[in-house]
Amino acid sequence: MSCTSGSEQHEQLDPVTISFHDLQSGEDLSEKIEEAFGFKGLGLIVIKDYPEFQAKRERILRAIRKFALLSDEVKDKCAVPQANYSFGWSHGKEKMKNGIPDFAKGSYYARPHADIITDDEELKRQYPETYLDNVWPKTDCPELENAFKDMSRVQIDMGHHICKLFDRYLHKLTGGKHKLDTFYNMLKDSVAYKGRMLHYFPVEPELNSSIDGLCGWHLDHGCITCLLSPLYLDLEGNVLPKPNECGLYVKSPRNGSVNKVDIPADCLVIQLGEFFQILSGGLLRATPHCVRSSKSLNITREQLAVFMDCPPTQLLKLPEFSLPQEEVFNTPFLPDGVPELKSRIVGAETYRDFAKNTFKAYLQ
Ligand SMILES: [Fe+2]
């Protein structure tokens, strides 16, 4: 099915959906993994049926909105410039594709699984984005911390389940060369998780006229990302149905079509990042995507993304069963302006090097 939004042609493919109960039962879902993350997949999978999910989702998404609507003076108490704003509140510090500071969305970053992971001051000084402590608005928006921890615990649990499925699929596909629990163990003990609570402020429609106006085309560069279904609210805080033009848009590697992926309110999504594409020797695929918020000045959008990355020192190395390099590092139908994967692995020996190259490349 296809639809038009402005001048763009969009295809509407249903994403692969699995049930939380199937995950729990340990069923072999390799076919679903292939359909979602193989060469023809959208690079993501939808998980439904998580018990008591809606209450947790609404609690955190309302809390981020409440925080974002506090005064700048209050919010700035939770900004962490020494971490390049990658902990606590960040607003107007990142750039949009045209180089203009991004005031359209505000982000609150926190590590999901532990407020403090080290007391090594040298480590914190060298790698503040990874090792600094969480900050919380304990008096101005006390519900944010617990709502975040409560929801992100579920997202991480789902991420671990999907890692097990990746391992099982790759184990089968490579005749046992990919060992069971490789990805699961890599992520299970990692400290490199980050949650990003997002509030999209209403913006003038001209800033949001194309699908990639506010959150441009990109690929997630880490291992996996877990997203919620975003919450749309009017200015009084009433829940609204998802506006038709809004959503997550994904480039299909099959034919380059742009697919709008609607995440049902009671589901979450796991998306693959480029580093797992590399570590799977190209058998799992990440896809370019962008996000469109509402064109209305009366609607805000709330989201929580949890990025689950491997340890910073994980080696960037193709497995012995890898596809040829040019296939691993090629992204079909790469949108204009998105830096090629092969350009960002140059000189990178570890995940940390690769992440650094990527941040630099997107800022150019
Ligand atoms: Fe993304």
Side-chain angles (χ1 to χ4, degrees):
M1 185 179 127
S2 72
C3 59
T4 47
S5 170
S7 58
E8 293 127 350
Q9 275 285 341
H10 305 306
E11 216 173 334
Q12 185 78 61
L13 289 183
D14 288 333
V16 177
T17 300
I18 55 174
S19 165
F20 170 67
H21 306 303
D22 296 336
L23 281 181
Q24 269 197 319
S25 69
E27 201 181 311
D28 183 1
L29 298 170
S30 292
E31 274 180 28
K32 298 274 189 191
I33 293 294
E34 171 145 8
E35 204 187 324
F37 298 100
F39 272 83
K40 292 179 180 171
L42 290 176
L44 55 84
I45 200 160
V46 175
I47 303 172
K48 62 177 185 178
D49 300 333
Y50 192 90
E52 294 170 42
F53 173 78
Q54 280 289 33
K56 292 180 203 290
R57 167 182 171 259
E58 210 170 309
R59 203 154 73 91
I60 180 54
L61 297 183
R62 282 191 177 279
I64 182 56
R65 174 182 182 271
K66 179 180 165 187
F67 181 84
L69 297 182
L70 295 172
S71 71
D72 286 342
E73 198 189 352
V74 170
K75 288 182 288 194
D76 286 346
K77 287 193 279 181
C78 288
V80 189
Q82 65 273 31
N84 296 317
Y85 300 94
S86 64
F87 280 99
W89 178 241
S90 170
H91 187 209
K93 307 299 176 194
E94 294 168 37
K95 299 233 175 15
M96 297 201 285
K97 63 176 178 177
N98 46 15
I100 297 171
D102 179 5
F103 283 100
K105 49 187 186 287
S107 302
Y108 200 107
Y109 293 98
R111 189 187 300 106
H113 54 295
D115 286 324
I116 301 171
I117 52 168
T118 181
D119 53 10
D120 183 334
E121 292 303 324
E122 182 53 25
L123 210 51
K124 289 182 176 182
R125 195 188 60 75
Q126 271 196 7
Y127 304 107
E129 293 90 348
T130 305
Y131 292 105
L132 277 186
D133 305 342
N134 281 345
V135 291
W136 293 111
K138 287 191 183 279
T139 48
D140 298 309
C141 187
E143 64 266 48
L144 189 72
E145 177 180 351
N146 281 339
F148 168 75
K149 289 177 177 172
D150 207 27
M151 185 70 258
S152 59
R153 201 174 296 127
V154 175
Q155 291 168 276
I156 288 172
D157 187 33
M158 292 303 99
H160 288 162
H161 274 295
I162 295 295
C163 281
K164 286 216 166 225
L165 293 182
F166 286 155
D167 285 325
R168 197 160 167 182
Y169 168 66
L170 292 171
H171 183 76
K172 265 170 95 167
L173 199 61
T174 63
K177 286 182 183 150
H178 178 96
K179 302 289 176 235
L180 288 174
D181 290 346
T182 303
F183 284 178
Y184 171 72
N185 286 332
M186 194 183 288
L187 283 206
K188 181 173 62 77
D189 300 324
S190 174
V191 296
Y193 292 175
K194 191 67 72 74
R196 183 181 189 184
M197 296 159 257
L198 275 153
H199 173 81
Y200 286 73
F201 294 93
V203 291
E204 296 301 327
E206 58 268 27
L207 272 177
N208 198 11
S209 56
S210 64
I211 58 168
D212 61 339
L214 295 186
C215 174
W217 286 107
H218 66 282
L219 289 97
D220 293 0
H221 68 274
C223 296
I224 53 176
T225 306
C226 184
L227 298 167
L228 304 179
S229 173
L231 188 64
Y232 295 92
L233 299 169
D234 67 17
L235 300 186
E236 281 74 51
N238 301 307
V239 178
L240 297 171
K242 190 185 83 59
N244 198 31
E245 77 273 14
C246 298
L248 173 67
Y249 290 84
V250 181
K251 273 249 173 185
S252 162
R254 186 166 17 189
N255 54 15
S257 64
V258 176
N259 294 270
K260 185 143 96 56
V261 177
D262 288 328
I263 310 169
D266 57 349
C267 296
L268 36 78
V269 159
I270 302 277
Q271 227 176 345
L272 193 89
E274 291 172 311
F275 205 67
F276 263 0
Q277 177 170 315
I278 296 170
L279 296 186
S280 71
L283 296 173
L284 300 173
R285 310 299 300 187
T287 49
H289 55 275
C290 63
V291 172
R292 186 181 215 170
S293 184
S294 171
K295 285 199 258 185
S296 164
L297 284 171
N298 302 316
I299 298 178
T300 64
R301 179 184 191 270
E302 324 296 329
Q303 173 62 289
L304 166 57
V306 173
F307 303 98
M308 298 172 66
D309 290 346
C310 57
T313 51
Q314 177 67 42
L315 292 178
L316 190 161
K317 204 166 162 256
L318 294 179
E320 57 165 315
F321 54 80
S322 176
L323 298 175
Q325 281 202 28
E326 58 275 20
E327 279 182 54
V328 179
F329 299 126
N330 179 45
T331 306
F333 308 105
L334 192 67
D336 284 347
V338 180
E340 289 186 353
L341 178 53
K342 67 176 179 214
S343 69
R344 290 177 281 123
I345 56 160
V346 176
E349 290 179 9
T350 60
Y351 174 66
R352 187 159 62 202
D353 301 335
F354 171 65
K356 202 171 164 184
N357 288 353
T358 298
F359 288 128
K360 234 165 99 182
Y362 274 97
L363 284 176
Q364 280 171 354

Coordinates of all heavy atoms in Angstrom, one line a residue, residues 109-146:
Y109 N 18.8 12.7 29.2 CA 19.6 11.5 29.1 C 19.9 10.9 30.4 O 20.3 11.7 31.4 CB 20.9 11.8 28.4 CG 20.8 12.2 26.9 CD1 20.9 13.5 26.5 CD2 20.7 11.2 25.9 CE1 20.8 13.9 25.2 CE2 20.6 11.6 24.6 CZ 20.7 12.9 24.2 OH 20.6 13.3 22.9
A110 N 19.8 9.6 30.5 CA 20.2 8.9 31.8 C 20.6 7.5 31.5 O 20.1 6.9 30.5 CB 19.1 9.0 32.8
R111 N 21.4 7.0 32.3 CA 21.8 5.6 32.2 C 20.7 4.8 32.9 O 20.3 5.1 34.0 CB 23.2 5.3 32.9 CG 23.8 4.0 32.7 CD 25.0 3.8 33.6 NE 26.1 4.8 33.3 CZ 26.4 5.8 34.2 NH1 25.7 5.9 35.3 NH2 27.3 6.6 33.9
P112 N 20.2 3.7 32.2 CA 19.0 3.1 32.8 C 19.3 2.2 34.0 O 18.5 2.1 35.0 CB 18.5 2.2 31.7 CG 19.2 2.6 30.5 CD 20.5 3.3 30.9
H113 N 20.4 1.5 34.0 CA 20.6 0.4 35.0 C 21.3 0.8 36.3 O 21.2 0.1 37.3 CB 21.3 -0.8 34.4 CG 22.6 -0.4 33.7 ND1 22.6 0.4 32.6 CD2 23.8 -0.8 34.0 CE1 23.9 0.5 32.3 NE2 24.6 -0.2 33.1
A114 N 22.0 2.0 36.3 CA 22.7 2.4 37.5 C 23.0 3.9 37.5 O 23.4 4.4 36.4 CB 24.0 1.6 37.7
D115 N 22.7 4.6 38.6 CA 23.0 6.0 38.6 C 24.5 6.3 38.6 O 25.0 7.2 38.0 CB 22.4 6.6 39.8 CG 20.9 6.7 39.7 OD1 20.4 7.0 38.6 OD2 20.2 6.5 40.8
I116 N 25.3 5.4 39.3 CA 26.7 5.6 39.4 C 27.4 4.2 39.0 O 27.0 3.2 39.5 CB 27.1 5.9 40.8 CG1 26.4 7.2 41.3 CG2 28.6 6.1 40.9 CD1 26.6 7.5 42.7
I117 N 28.4 4.3 38.1 CA 29.0 3.0 37.7 C 30.5 3.0 38.1 O 31.1 1.9 38.0 CB 28.8 2.6 36.2 CG1 29.3 3.8 35.3 CG2 27.4 2.2 36.0 CD1 29.4 3.3 33.9
T118 N 31.1 4.1 38.5 CA 32.5 4.1 38.9 C 32.8 5.3 39.8 O 32.1 6.3 39.7 CB 33.4 4.1 37.6 OG1 34.8 4.1 38.1 CG2 33.2 5.4 36.8
D119 N 33.8 5.1 40.6 CA 34.3 6.3 41.4 C 35.6 6.7 40.9 O 36.4 7.5 41.5 CB 34.2 6.1 42.9 CG 35.0 4.8 43.3 OD1 35.6 4.2 42.4 OD2 34.8 4.4 44.5
D120 N 36.0 6.2 39.7 CA 37.3 6.5 39.1 C 37.2 7.8 38.4 O 36.7 7.9 37.3 CB 37.7 5.3 38.1 CG 39.1 5.5 37.5 OD1 39.5 6.7 37.4 OD2 39.6 4.5 37.1
E121 N 37.8 8.9 39.1 CA 37.6 10.2 38.6 C 38.4 10.4 37.2 O 37.9 11.2 36.4 CB 38.2 11.2 39.6 CG 37.3 11.3 40.8 CD 35.8 11.7 40.6 OE1 35.6 12.5 39.6 OE2 35.0 11.1 41.3
E122 N 39.4 9.7 37.0 CA 40.2 9.8 35.8 C 39.4 9.3 34.6 O 39.3 9.9 33.5 CB 41.5 9.0 35.9 CG 42.4 9.1 34.7 CD 42.7 10.5 34.2 OE1 42.7 11.4 35.0 OE2 43.0 10.7 33.0
L123 N 38.7 8.1 34.8 CA 37.8 7.5 33.8 C 36.7 8.5 33.5 O 36.3 8.7 32.3 CB 37.2 6.2 34.3 CG 36.9 5.1 33.4 CD1 38.1 4.8 32.4 CD2 36.5 3.9 34.2
K124 N 36.1 9.1 34.5 CA 35.0 10.1 34.3 C 35.5 11.3 33.5 O 34.8 11.9 32.7 CB 34.5 10.6 35.6 CG 33.7 9.5 36.4 CD 33.1 10.1 37.7 CE 32.3 9.1 38.4 NZ 31.7 9.6 39.6
R125 N 36.8 11.7 33.8 CA 37.3 12.9 33.1 C 37.6 12.5 31.6 O 37.2 13.3 30.7 CB 38.6 13.3 33.7 CG 39.1 14.7 33.4 CD 40.4 15.0 33.9 NE 41.4 14.1 33.4 CZ 42.0 14.1 32.2 NH1 41.6 15.0 31.3 NH2 42.9 13.2 31.8
Q126 N 38.1 11.4 31.3 CA 38.4 11.0 30.0 C 37.2 10.6 29.1 O 37.2 11.0 27.9 CB 39.3 9.7 30.0 CG 40.8 10.0 30.1 CD 41.6 8.8 29.7 OE1 41.1 7.8 29.3 NE2 42.9 8.9 30.0
Y127 N 36.3 10.0 29.7 CA 35.1 9.5 28.9 C 33.8 9.9 29.7 O 33.0 9.1 30.1 CB 35.1 8.0 28.7 CG 36.3 7.5 28.0 CD1 37.3 6.8 28.8 CD2 36.6 7.8 26.7 CE1 38.5 6.4 28.2 CE2 37.7 7.3 26.1 CZ 38.7 6.6 26.8 OH 39.8 6.2 26.2
P128 N 33.6 11.2 29.8 CA 32.4 11.7 30.6 C 31.1 11.2 30.0 O 30.1 10.9 30.8 CB 32.5 13.2 30.5 CG 33.4 13.5 29.3 CD 34.3 12.4 29.2
E129 N 31.0 11.0 28.7 CA 29.7 10.6 28.1 C 29.3 9.2 28.6 O 28.1 8.9 28.5 CB 29.8 10.6 26.6 CG 29.9 12.0 25.9 CD 31.4 12.4 25.8 OE1 32.3 11.7 26.3 OE2 31.6 13.4 25.1
T130 N 30.3 8.4 28.9 CA 30.0 7.0 29.4 C 30.0 6.9 30.9 O 29.1 6.3 31.5 CB 31.0 6.0 28.8 OG1 31.1 6.2 27.4 CG2 30.7 4.6 29.2
Y131 N 30.9 7.6 31.6 CA 31.1 7.2 33.0 C 30.6 8.2 34.0 O 30.7 7.9 35.2 CB 32.6 7.0 33.2 CG 33.1 5.7 32.5 CD1 33.9 5.9 31.3 CD2 32.8 4.5 32.9 CE1 34.4 4.7 30.6 CE2 33.3 3.3 32.3 CZ 34.0 3.5 31.1 OH 34.5 2.4 30.5
L132 N 30.1 9.4 33.6 CA 29.6 10.3 34.6 C 28.3 9.7 35.3 O 27.7 8.8 34.8 CB 29.3 11.7 34.0 CG 30.5 12.6 33.9 CD1 30.1 14.0 33.4 CD2 31.3 12.8 35.2
D133 N 27.9 10.3 36.4 CA 26.8 9.9 37.1 C 25.5 10.4 36.5 O 25.5 11.5 36.0 CB 26.8 10.3 38.6 CG 28.1 9.9 39.3 OD1 28.8 9.0 38.7 OD2 28.5 10.4 40.3
N134 N 24.4 9.7 36.7 CA 23.1 10.3 36.4 C 22.8 11.5 37.3 O 23.2 11.6 38.4 CB 22.0 9.3 36.7 CG 21.9 8.2 35.6 OD1 22.4 8.4 34.5 ND2 21.1 7.2 35.9
V135 N 22.0 12.4 36.7 CA 21.4 13.5 37.5 C 19.9 13.5 37.4 O 19.4 13.1 36.4 CB 21.9 14.9 37.0 CG1 23.4 15.1 37.3 CG2 21.6 15.1 35.6
W136 N 19.3 13.9 38.5 CA 17.8 13.8 38.5 C 17.2 15.0 39.2 O 17.7 15.6 40.1 CB 17.3 12.5 39.3 CG 17.7 11.3 38.7 CD1 18.6 10.3 39.1 CD2 17.1 10.8 37.4 NE1 18.7 9.3 38.2 CE2 17.8 9.5 37.2 CE3 16.2 11.2 36.5 CZ2 17.5 8.8 36.0 CZ3 15.9 10.5 35.4 CH2 16.5 9.3 35.2
P137 N 16.0 15.5 38.7 CA 15.3 16.6 39.2 C 14.5 16.2 40.4 O 13.3 16.1 40.4 CB 14.5 17.1 38.1 CG 14.2 15.9 37.3 CD 15.3 14.9 37.5
K138 N 15.2 15.9 41.5 CA 14.5 15.2 42.7 C 13.4 16.1 43.3 O 12.5 15.5 43.8 CB 15.6 14.8 43.7 CG 16.4 13.6 43.2 CD 17.2 13.0 44.3 CE 18.1 11.8 43.8 NZ 17.3 10.5 43.6
T139 N 13.6 17.4 43.3 CA 12.5 18.2 43.8 C 11.5 18.8 42.8 O 10.3 18.9 43.0 CB 13.1 19.4 44.7 OG1 14.1 20.0 43.9 CG2 13.7 18.9 46.0
D140 N 12.1 19.1 41.6 CA 11.2 19.8 40.6 C 10.4 18.9 39.8 O 9.3 19.3 39.3 CB 12.1 20.6 39.7 CG 12.9 21.7 40.4 OD1 12.2 22.4 41.2 OD2 14.1 21.8 40.3
C141 N 10.8 17.6 39.6 CA 10.0 16.7 38.9 C 10.4 15.3 39.4 O 11.0 14.5 38.7 CB 10.3 16.8 37.4 SG 9.2 15.8 36.3
P142 N 10.0 15.0 40.6 CA 10.5 13.8 41.3 C 10.1 12.5 40.6 O 10.8 11.5 40.7 CB 9.9 13.9 42.7 CG 8.8 14.9 42.7 CD 9.1 15.8 41.5
E143 N 8.9 12.5 39.9 CA 8.5 11.3 39.3 C 9.3 10.8 38.1 O 9.2 9.6 37.7 CB 7.0 11.4 38.9 CG 6.7 12.4 37.8 CD 6.3 13.8 38.3 OE1 7.0 14.3 39.2 OE2 5.3 14.3 37.9
L144 N 10.1 11.7 37.5 CA 10.9 11.4 36.3 C 11.8 10.2 36.5 O 11.8 9.2 35.7 CB 11.7 12.6 35.9 CG 12.3 12.4 34.5 CD1 11.3 12.5 33.4 CD2 13.4 13.5 34.2
E145 N 12.5 10.2 37.6 CA 13.5 9.1 37.9 C 12.9 7.7 38.0 O 13.3 6.8 37.2 CB 14.3 9.5 39.2 CG 15.3 8.4 39.6 CD 16.0 8.7 40.9 OE1 15.9 9.8 41.4 OE2 16.7 7.8 41.4
N146 N 11.9 7.6 38.8 CA 11.3 6.2 39.0 C 10.6 5.8 37.7 O 10.6 4.6 37.4 CB 10.4 6.2 40.2 CG 11.2 6.0 41.5 OD1 12.4 5.6 41.4 ND2 10.7 6.4 42.6

